[in-house]
Amino acid sequence: DSGVTQTPKHLITATGQRVTLRCSPRSGDLSVYWYQQSLDQGLQFLIQYYNGEERAKGNILERFSAQQFPDLHSELNLSSLELGDSALYFCASSVQLAGSTDTQYFGPGTRLTVL
Amino acid sequence: AQSVTQLGSHVSVSEGALVLLRCNYSSSVPPYLFWYVQYPNQGLQLLLKYTSAATLVKGINGFEAEFKKSETSFHLTKPSAHMSDAAEYFCAVKANTGFQKLVFGTGTRLLVSP
């Protein structure tokens, strides 16, 4: 158990819908990262937050957005869902910010299925 | 920019045999390198990481990896495979400066036969 929690574990929805994925980082971790894992794209970094502020952006679609709240939990919002958005979405957390040797600890993931 | 290449999407070994999973990296700055393991229906777990302290890195579950700058490699090895090692293994790279994300390889599925 990494200490990172994600809810829900599974999510099934229809095209065009909007969903919210939730992540609680390990106690004491200030950085939260979101990744998407799909068969065709592999593991892709989406976005990083540090202490409530967006710090880095990867291959995140405009239909997707995220935020980190004062209690440090984070939410990833996916809207206008398409079949291709079906994937495993991971959240990871780490203690420090940039240029450090800190480890990213991964949650168990949320499996999103878009029908 | 950083990238990693994992040679072989699948590697099969017999129980007790040597495990060798290959990873080559590309980085414009000194990198940090990681190996993660993903068991079925689970998240990623860190096996080991290289952060320039020592070129031979020992991790959990008997795994180790050696950083070879001349070969831009960071191969993962284990002397004797166990059935429980069957999983997917990911190599990842991160630059040691700035807000750099983890860049993952495509993964190698390790199959262990009795």
Side-chain angles (χ1 to χ4, degrees):
Chain A
D1 184 357
S2 66
V4 179
T5 60
Q6 289 187 247
T7 56
K9 194 163 185 172
H10 300 278
L11 200 47
I12 301 174
T13 188
T15 54
Q17 294 298 305
R18 173 189 169 95
V19 297
T20 297
L21 313 183
R22 184 187 168 104
C23 167
S24 291
R26 294 188 323 153
S27 177
D29 284 359
L30 298 178
S31 270
V32 169
Y33 311 76
W34 285 98
Y35 291 85
Q36 179 194 59
Q37 185 180 33
S38 61
L39 283 175
D40 53 345
Q41 298 286 331
L43 261 167
Q44 299 274 323
F45 167 74
L46 295 178
I47 197 163
Q48 177 201 0
Y49 279 81
Y50 175 79
N51 204 20
E53 301 285 332
E54 182 185 304
R55 286 302 189 181
K57 239 175 178 177
N59 301 320
I60 188 166
L61 300 172
E62 284 191 12
R63 300 183 285 109
F64 296 0
S65 64
Q67 53 184 330
Q68 187 180 26
F69 295 87
D71 67 352
L72 301 178
H73 91 271
S74 177
E75 292 181 356
L76 179 67
N77 300 295
L78 315 177
S79 61
S80 303
L81 285 167
E82 302 174 358
L83 295 178
D85 298 327
S86 295
L88 198 49
Y89 291 85
F90 286 111
C91 167
S93 73
S94 70
V95 175
Q96 296 181 20
L97 191 48
S100 67
T101 63
D102 66 329
T103 297
Q104 291 183 28
Y105 293 89
F106 282 74
T110 293
R111 183 169 295 282
L112 173 67
T113 303
V114 182
L115 301 175
Chain B
Q2 287 73 42
S3 66
V4 289
T5 301
Q6 291 184 244
L7 293 175
S9 58
H10 291 80
V11 169
S12 294
V13 300
S14 299
E15 195 171 20
L18 171 72
V19 175
L20 170 61
L21 304 182
R22 299 178 186 273
C23 173
N24 288 88
Y25 71 90
S26 172
S27 179
S28 53
V29 297
Y32 294 149
L33 292 158
F34 304 79
W35 275 99
Y36 282 85
V37 60
Q38 184 179 25
Y39 297 102
N41 301 313
Q42 292 188 29
L44 281 77
Q45 181 184 6
L46 181 72
L47 278 177
L48 49 81
K49 65 179 181 181
Y50 166 76
T51 57
S52 76
T55 57
L56 183 62
V57 182
K58 293 188 184 299
I60 61 171
N61 301 338
F63 284 94
E64 64 180 38
E66 187 172 6
F67 174 73
K68 291 187 177 180
K69 187 177 178 181
S70 60
E71 298 177 8
T72 61
S73 69
F74 190 58
H75 301 332
L76 182 70
T77 61
K78 182 173 179 178
S80 176
H82 294 162
M83 296 294 289
S84 60
D85 294 327
E88 186 139 23
Y89 292 79
F90 292 91
C91 181
V93 64
K94 184 167 82 97
N96 67 0
T97 59
F99 301 103
Q100 297 297 327
K101 60 185 184 288
L102 271 177
V103 176
F104 285 90
T106 50
T108 297
R109 185 166 297 278
L110 177 65
L111 307 168
V112 183
S113 56

